[in-house]
């Protein structure tokens, strides 16, 4: 980052937070003297954003003030949008003067409407020093407001004022920094031809030059150390050149071209980076050799060749990191089969519109989000939710772009256009997450700003001081200085954090976990306590029948048949669960008449002409039933499992003292069914605990989470039953949303970090209060995707311990990368003055080796998978 962009004052003037954003602000361009950034259209129209102009009288004041300018022709004040459009004579006034008149009317001009944001693809910008050159180049472009350089994705996101610059000028600036722009969002919708795929690193022009250079280095070494007799002197005093020296010079000429070119652009853009340092080192070695006949040709050639190899390895390792995100982008198909005019036509996925019917055959990817309107199939949703088992889909079910139709034929009605579907939002959020810098990354970059000047100064000191302090020759001291220049670049430890974040975030996305920033990745790995909502998190969030206890010679089918009839017209969730369960058991139906809902108690209806009731135990006590002595007999005289457990005589139940309390102690709601004269049975309904919930809690403890607590608004009896079943350390029941927030704050006073896991909507206050907010089942839920720090895309709680393990390991990898790369650089630098580090070792170990090491270490995060996979 440039010094300008690091200034906190600059960030504040641009309205961009300093921390957490890889954003360089342009305070000098963000607002002109009048406080406006105007956008001209055809040179005679300006549009200004005036948010405070929100009423007709406001618009009148603005209009009257602006019309005092003689050159103004028309004034259009749009109150609903807060936009002011002014047409004027080009030679009579300026946008600044228009903005000044608006401010004199008492309204603030915030920005020009013509400001736009474009993304520029720069594949060769793959290291921090590359990004530095681009940033310095963009600093000189008038009209650029903010920019983000993303070496991990090879993209530059630029916000600029269209009235003062253009996408072409931004492209020109980036290319003047020495990097080709292969694609822009500005040209993506235009007439520009498609961009060819980037060539392989090992087949690139630079690679070919590197191998040629290496061949000449090898020949030079052969003549220098093996074929002494053939290493004839070709040129004498004042400059001595042997055959080996000439071969080394050719190696420098071929292999050093890209290095010197990069150094030129670094110097031009005032960026002290590895390209400039290596250019100085190579030029210094040649200058000393040719000017003082010191014979450092071999060092210069070795430096040029090995550094070129190091750059190729760095490009290769960064491409590997980028591939993980590209795999997400490749999930969505390019074409879709659409029904139009009674025919099936194949169109680009961008041409598919909401409401279209797309045809998806077995083995094909679903092109957009939609709803199944015909057909049945199993769909592999792993790309979105991370679920390892295909999910059955039929009429009315929702499907997502990028998922795979496994076996059947589907017709899907499109609900989201390309670019607005769930997969596109995930990719966009992953890219944004990679662009946001963590606190550790910001610290490393600040440190790097001091590291390079200090090592360069140390190189000068060693070069000038070692002949006197250690008695080495001037030739050797110069080699020491050149070696230290190689070690002065902090690339390895600067990329150590972002490459780890990229690996962790993209790996999580592939497994159905969306992490919306490196800071959240790091924070999740450091939490000591996890708070879990009950409904929809530990439980399925859907009521289901758990127990049916027939009474008084009735069968289970009899009880369900009556309950189905009584609840068929009820809209209560309990009634819906009973009806669904009875339908699944195919118990048949009874005719219903005179249905009545008795608020707070139950329901009443005539079934086949006989009055029946269903409701709470207290409702039946009011009807005059003795619930302390009821016979429990089922088909063939065999009692139910619940009856066997709670009735000693197997033929009599005390509902008030035993049966009902026992069922309620398990967190179940009890419904009685009967006529005016007889109790027919008991039905227990509950929100079922997720089968993976207990294992997820156990796994969190095993991985190092100190405390797991359940927070719920449910009653204490139900909460206790669920808490005991899943094995949490504590539960807190009957909590309102603000009380959940208070509970999170209490936990934060005891533990260093607290993660809150909920549904992303009802638990929004608690999610926002916690150190990390995690939303469950976020696929297809816009609110959860937008508001949560982390979203578990599927309703699978096993992703939570996976998330913690990935985050915890990512923190370890980042620490390893930072301290190992920094330690290696420091150790090599301190060993240089003692002649322990040859220049080739500085390149291969200090530069290429550490870059490959930190990248490879980061890639290990992709091996972590959820336990159920």
């Amino acid at each position: 980052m440039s010094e300008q962009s690091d200034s906190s004052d600059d960030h504040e003037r641009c309205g961009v937070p300093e921390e957490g954003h890889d954003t360089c602000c342009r305070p000098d361009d963000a607002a002109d003297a009048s406080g406006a950034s105007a956008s001209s259209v055809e040179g005679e129209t300006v549009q200004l954003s005036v948010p405070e102009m929100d009423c007709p009288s406001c618009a009148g004041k603005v209009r009257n003030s602006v019309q005092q300018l003689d050159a103004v022709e028309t004034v259009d004040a749009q109150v609903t949008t807060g936009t002011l459009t002014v047409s004027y004579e080009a030679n009579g006034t300026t946008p600044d003067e228009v903005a000044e008149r608006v401010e004199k009317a008492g309204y603030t001009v915030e920005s020009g409407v013509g400001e736009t944001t474009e993304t520029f693809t720069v594949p060769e910008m793959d290291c921090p020093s590359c990004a530095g050159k681009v940033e310095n180049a963009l600093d000189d472009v008038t009209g650029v407001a903010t920019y983000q350089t993303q070496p991990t994705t090879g993209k530059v996101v630029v916000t600029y004022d269209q009235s003062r610059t253009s996408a072409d000028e931004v492209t020109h600036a980036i290319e003047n920094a020495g990097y080709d722009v292969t694609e822009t969002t500005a040209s993506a919708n235009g007439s520009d031809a498609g961009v060819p795929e980037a060539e392989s690193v090992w087949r690139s022009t630079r690679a070919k030059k590197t191998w040629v250079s290496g061949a000449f280095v090898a020949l030079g070494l052969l003549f220098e150390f093996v074929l002494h007799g053939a290493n004839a002197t070709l040129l004498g005093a004042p400059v001595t050149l042997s055959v080996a020296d000439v071969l080394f010079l050719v190696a420098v000429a071929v292999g050093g071209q890209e290095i010197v070119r990069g150094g030129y652009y670094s110097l031009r853009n005032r960026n002290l980076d590895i390209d400039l340092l290596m250019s100085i080192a190579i030029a210094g070695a040649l200058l000393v050799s040719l000017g003082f006949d010191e014979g450092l040709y071999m060092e210069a050639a070795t430096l040029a060749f090995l550094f070129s190899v190091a750059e190729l390895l760095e490009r290769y390792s960064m491409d590997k990191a980028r591939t993980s995100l590209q795999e997400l982008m490749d999930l969505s198909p390019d074409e879709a089969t659409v029904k139009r005019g009674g025919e099936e036509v194949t169109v680009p996925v961008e041409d598919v519109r909401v409401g279209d019917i797309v045809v998806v055959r077995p083995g094909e990817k679903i092109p957009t989000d939609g709803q199944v309107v015909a057909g049945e199939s199993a769909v592999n949703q792993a790309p979105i939710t991370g679920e390892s088992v295909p999910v059955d889909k039929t009429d009315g079910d929702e499907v997502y772009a990028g998922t795979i139709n496994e076996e059947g034929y589907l017709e899907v009605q499109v609900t989201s256009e390309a670019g607005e579907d769930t997969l596109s939002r995930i990719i966009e959020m992953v890219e944004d997450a990679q662009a946001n810098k963590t606190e550790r990354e910001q610290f490393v970059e600040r440190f790097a700003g001091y590291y390079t000047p200090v090592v360069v100064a140390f190189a000068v000191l060693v070069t000038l001081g070692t002949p006197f302090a250690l008695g080495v020759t001037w030739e050797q001291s110069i080699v020491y200085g050149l070696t230290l220049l190689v070690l002065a670049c902090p690339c390895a430890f600067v990329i150590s954090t972002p490459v780890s974040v990229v690996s962790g975030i993209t790996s999580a996305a592939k497994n159905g976990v969306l992490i919306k920033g490196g800071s959240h990745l790091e924070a999740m790995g450091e939490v000591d306590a996890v708070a879990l909502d009950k409904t929809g998190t530990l439980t399925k969030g859907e009521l289901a029948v758990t127990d049916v206890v027939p009474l008084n010679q009735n069968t289970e089918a009899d009880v369900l048949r009556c309950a189905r009839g009584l609840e068929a017209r009820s809209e209560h969730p309990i009634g819906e669960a009973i009806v669904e369960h009875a339908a699944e058991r195919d118990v048949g139906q009874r005719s219903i008449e005179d249905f009545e809902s008795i608020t707070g108690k139950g329901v009443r209806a005539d079934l086949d002409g006989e009055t029946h009731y269903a409701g709470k135990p207290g409702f039946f006590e009011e009807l005059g039933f003795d619930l302390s002595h009821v016979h429990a007999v089922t088909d063939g005289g065999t009692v139910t499992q619940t009856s066997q457990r709670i009735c000693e005589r197997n033929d009599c139940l005390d509902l008030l003292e035993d049966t009902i309390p026992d069922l309620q102690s398990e967190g179940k709601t009890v419904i009685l069914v009967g006529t005016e004269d007889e109790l027919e049975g008991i039905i227990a309904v509950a929100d079922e605990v997720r089968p993976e919930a207990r294992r997820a809690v156990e796994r969190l403890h095993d991985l190092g989470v100190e405390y797991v607590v359940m927070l719920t608004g449910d009653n204490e009896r139900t909460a206790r039953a669920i808490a005991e079943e899943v094995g949490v350390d504590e539960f807190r029941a009957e909590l309102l949303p603000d009380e959940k927030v208070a509970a999170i704050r209490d936990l934060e006073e005891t533990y260093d970090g607290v993660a809150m896991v909920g549904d992303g909507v009802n638990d929004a206050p608690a999610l926002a209060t916690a150190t990390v907010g995690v939303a469950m089942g976020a696929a297809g839920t816009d609110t959860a995707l937008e508001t949560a720090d982390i979203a578990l895309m599927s309703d699978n709680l096993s992703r939570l311990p996976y998330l913690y393990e990935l985050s915890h390991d990512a923190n370890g990898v980042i620490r390893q990368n930072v301290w190992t790369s920094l330690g290696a650089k420091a150790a090599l630098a301190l060993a240089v003055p003692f002649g322990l580090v040859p220049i080739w070792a500085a390149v291969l170990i200090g530069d290429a080796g550490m870059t490959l090491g930190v990248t490879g270490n980061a890639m290990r995060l992709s091996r972590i998978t959820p336990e159920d996979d």
Side-chain angles (χ1 to χ4, degrees):
M1 301 284 280
S2 62
E3 291 181 5
Q4 179 183 4
S5 65
D6 281 342
S7 168
S8 60
D9 290 337
D10 291 350
H11 281 280
E12 291 171 0
R13 285 182 235 167
C14 291
V16 178
E18 180 179 8
E19 293 187 0
H21 293 273
D22 190 8
T23 304
C24 296
C25 295
R26 296 290 309 280
D28 52 328
D29 293 327
D32 53 35
S34 67
S37 179
S39 174
S40 298
V41 181
E42 300 179 354
E44 297 181 349
T45 302
V46 63
Q47 286 184 315
L48 301 174
S49 176
V50 191
E52 296 171 353
M53 184 184 66
D54 54 8
C55 65
S57 62
C58 307
K61 282 187 285 188
V62 171
R63 189 182 300 110
N64 292 337
S65 179
V66 173
Q67 284 176 340
Q68 293 182 29
L69 296 171
D70 294 336
V72 169
E73 297 175 347
T74 63
V75 179
D76 181 14
Q78 295 289 334
V79 175
T80 54
T81 60
T83 301
L84 180 71
T85 304
V86 181
S87 297
Y88 60 92
E89 295 177 5
N91 297 327
T93 189
T94 65
D96 289 352
E97 291 177 351
V98 174
E100 185 178 354
R101 293 307 309 173
V102 175
E103 291 180 344
K104 285 187 176 180
Y107 299 93
T108 302
V109 178
E110 288 200 352
S111 66
V113 176
E115 198 169 85
T116 187
T117 300
E118 306 289 356
T119 300
F120 299 79
T121 302
V122 190
E124 295 177 351
M125 186 192 69
D126 54 10
C127 64
S129 64
C130 309
K133 285 199 282 284
V134 172
E135 290 167 1
N136 289 343
L138 291 174
D139 281 337
D140 295 331
V141 180
T142 301
V144 169
T146 65
Y147 52 75
Q148 295 176 334
T149 52
Q150 304 171 8
T152 52
T153 60
K155 292 184 179 181
V156 182
V157 181
V158 183
T159 299
Y160 60 90
D161 187 339
Q162 296 178 93
S163 69
R164 305 171 71 186
T165 190
S166 66
D168 289 341
E169 291 183 24
V170 173
T171 298
H172 182 67
I174 295 173
E175 291 181 341
N176 276 346
Y179 302 96
D180 291 334
V181 176
T182 62
E183 184 179 11
T184 74
T185 52
S187 64
N189 299 323
S191 58
D192 291 4
V195 180
E197 292 186 5
E199 61 183 341
S200 167
V201 170
W202 307 115
R203 294 194 300 270
S204 64
T205 301
R206 180 163 194 172
K208 294 173 183 176
K209 291 180 180 179
T210 300
W211 308 140
V212 172
S213 174
F216 280 102
V217 169
L219 287 173
L221 292 173
L222 185 65
F223 277 93
E224 182 75 21
F225 296 106
V226 180
L227 305 176
H228 297 286
N231 191 22
T233 300
L234 303 179
L235 187 66
V239 178
T240 303
L241 286 176
S242 64
V243 172
D245 293 336
V246 171
L247 291 171
F248 289 139
L249 283 173
V250 174
V252 171
V254 176
Q257 292 179 23
E258 296 296 326
I259 301 172
V260 174
R261 176 177 176 271
Y264 162 74
Y265 283 113
S266 298
L267 184 62
R268 177 175 171 177
N269 291 285
R270 307 177 303 280
N271 193 53
L272 183 62
D273 63 4
I274 188 63
D275 288 329
L276 182 56
L277 293 172
M278 295 300 295
S279 298
I280 293 173
I282 293 171
L286 294 179
L287 182 63
V288 170
S289 299
L290 296 174
F292 301 95
D293 199 23
E294 291 293 343
L296 297 180
Y297 304 108
M298 182 183 71
E299 283 77 5
T302 305
L303 204 55
F305 168 64
L306 292 180
F307 180 69
S308 293
V309 172
E311 288 291 280
L312 293 175
L313 290 172
E314 184 177 273
R315 177 77 54 79
Y316 172 75
S317 63
M318 190 57 68
D319 283 350
K320 293 287 285 183
R322 291 177 182 173
T323 298
S324 56
L325 179 59
Q326 188 61 45
E327 289 173 356
L328 282 178
M329 297 179 177
D330 292 341
L331 288 174
S332 183
D334 297 325
E335 295 180 330
T337 303
V338 183
K339 281 189 168 184
R340 287 180 180 170
E343 298 180 353
E344 293 183 6
V345 294
T346 300
V347 300
V349 72
E350 293 81 7
D351 293 341
V352 177
R353 297 292 175 258
V354 173
D356 282 348
I357 303 297
V358 297
V359 175
V360 188
R361 292 182 170 81
E364 294 181 347
K365 292 180 180 178
I366 296 173
T368 63
D369 286 1
Q371 190 175 56
V372 176
V373 293
E376 295 181 359
S377 182
V379 174
N380 181 356
Q381 296 191 150
I384 301 296
T385 65
E387 295 169 285
S388 57
V389 179
V391 179
D392 291 333
K393 299 289 182 179
T394 187
D395 190 16
D397 289 339
E398 189 175 20
V399 293
Y400 308 114
T403 56
I404 304 166
N405 181 18
E406 292 283 347
E407 54 191 33
Y409 170 90
L410 291 176
E411 290 185 7
V412 177
Q413 184 173 36
V414 176
T415 57
S416 298
E417 293 187 4
E420 299 177 359
D421 51 60
T422 302
L423 178 60
S424 298
R425 294 203 306 275
I426 290 173
I427 292 171
E428 181 181 356
M429 289 177 180
V430 169
E431 289 182 317
D432 290 343
Q434 294 176 0
N436 295 338
K437 292 186 178 181
T438 66
E439 291 185 8
R440 188 179 282 116
E441 188 175 353
Q442 293 178 56
F443 164 76
V444 169
E445 287 199 351
R446 288 194 297 269
F447 178 81
Y450 296 102
Y451 171 84
T452 298
V454 167
V455 177
V456 170
F458 184 52
V460 174
L461 179 64
V462 167
T463 301
L464 299 178
T466 49
F468 303 102
L470 300 177
V472 302
T473 64
W474 281 104
E475 178 183 0
Q476 191 60 48
S477 72
I478 292 172
V479 172
Y480 289 167
L482 298 179
T483 304
L484 285 170
L485 287 182
V486 174
L487 295 172
C489 180
C491 285
F493 60 85
V494 169
I495 71 167
S496 59
T497 297
V499 76
S500 302
V501 168
V502 168
S503 178
I505 289 177
T506 53
S507 176
K510 292 175 188 176
N511 285 288
V513 179
L514 177 59
I515 303 173
K516 296 172 61 177
S519 57
H520 303 314
L521 177 72
E522 290 187 0
M524 186 64 202
E526 299 291 344
V527 299
D528 292 330
V530 174
L532 300 164
D533 178 46
K534 179 184 76 69
T535 305
T537 302
L538 287 170
T539 66
K540 295 180 179 180
E542 299 176 356
L543 292 177
V545 173
T546 59
D547 298 86
V548 178
V549 183
L551 303 172
N552 295 316
Q553 303 300 321
N554 289 286
T555 67
E556 182 175 325
D558 293 334
V559 177
L560 287 174
R561 191 179 304 112
C562 290
R564 181 181 187 179
L566 287 164
E567 301 287 0
R569 298 182 183 180
S570 171
E571 296 181 355
H572 195 284
I574 291 178
E576 293 174 354
I578 291 173
V579 170
E580 182 179 352
H581 183 76
E584 290 174 354
R585 296 298 180 91
D586 194 22
V587 297
Q589 301 187 54
R590 301 180 67 172
S591 63
I592 309 169
E593 294 179 353
D594 296 333
F595 174 84
E596 179 185 3
S597 175
I598 304 171
T599 304
K601 297 180 180 181
V603 295
R604 173 205 160 281
D606 289 344
L607 304 180
D608 296 332
E610 184 178 5
T611 301
H612 283 70
Y613 299 89
K616 297 179 178 179
F619 179 35
F620 277 79
E621 285 188 300
E622 291 179 8
L623 293 174
F625 284 92
D626 179 8
L627 302 184
S628 64
H629 188 86
V630 182
H631 291 276
V633 181
T634 65
D635 291 333
T638 304
V639 297
T640 64
Q641 181 179 357
T642 302
S643 300
Q644 180 70 46
R645 185 175 68 250
I646 63 179
C647 183
E648 294 180 358
R649 293 180 293 169
N650 291 340
D651 61 358
C652 179
L653 300 176
D654 186 340
L655 299 187
L656 289 179
E657 294 296 327
D658 297 320
T659 312
I660 293 174
D662 283 355
L663 289 171
Q664 289 176 336
S665 69
E666 296 172 4
K668 300 171 182 178
T669 299
V670 176
I671 301 296
L672 301 186
V673 180
T675 67
E676 292 179 327
D677 303 317
E678 179 185 63
L679 276 177
E680 296 177 329
I682 303 172
I683 298 177
V685 178
D687 182 5
E688 288 186 289
V689 173
R690 295 184 186 277
E692 73 276 9
R694 184 173 186 86
R695 177 56 185 160
V697 173
E698 290 177 352
R699 187 93 176 99
L700 286 173
H701 282 131
D702 292 343
L703 291 170
V705 175
E706 295 181 27
Y707 204 71
V708 180
V709 59
M710 183 184 77
L711 307 180
T712 179
D714 211 337
N715 64 76
E716 183 166 350
R717 182 179 57 214
T718 300
R720 183 182 303 279
I722 300 297
E724 291 176 354
E725 185 171 351
V726 299
V728 296
D729 299 305
E730 179 193 357
F731 72 90
R732 301 187 187 185
E734 301 178 3
L735 299 178
L736 296 173
D738 59 326
E739 292 173 325
K740 287 186 179 181
V741 170
I744 294 295
R745 288 176 176 159
D746 287 344
L747 291 169
E748 288 180 331
E749 291 179 0
T750 307
Y751 301 95
D752 289 338
V754 178
M756 173 67 194
V757 187
D759 60 12
V761 181
N762 298 330
D763 300 309
L767 290 172
T769 303
T771 310
V772 184
V774 183
M776 277 280 291
T781 306
D782 291 342
T783 302
L785 279 176
E786 296 297 333
T787 60
D789 299 324
I790 299 173
L792 308 184
M793 303 303 289
S794 68
D795 282 320
N796 190 337
L797 205 56
S798 68
R799 294 301 185 271
L800 183 60
Y802 159 75
L803 166 63
Y804 179 80
E805 181 181 13
L806 176 72
S807 302
H808 189 269
D809 286 4
N811 284 341
V813 166
I814 291 171
R815 284 191 290 268
Q816 293 165 13
N817 283 350
V818 170
W819 295 114
T820 300
S821 56
L822 181 58
K825 288 267 191 181
L828 290 170
L830 293 175
V832 166
F834 302 100
L836 301 177
V837 182
I839 199 166
W840 62 263
V843 177
L844 290 185
I845 299 175
D847 189 59
M850 291 314 306
T851 298
L852 279 177
V854 298
T855 305
N857 195 32
M859 292 299 103
R860 290 193 303 112
L861 295 174
S862 62
R863 300 177 185 173
I864 301 173
T865 57
E867 193 175 53
D868 63 333
D869 287 356

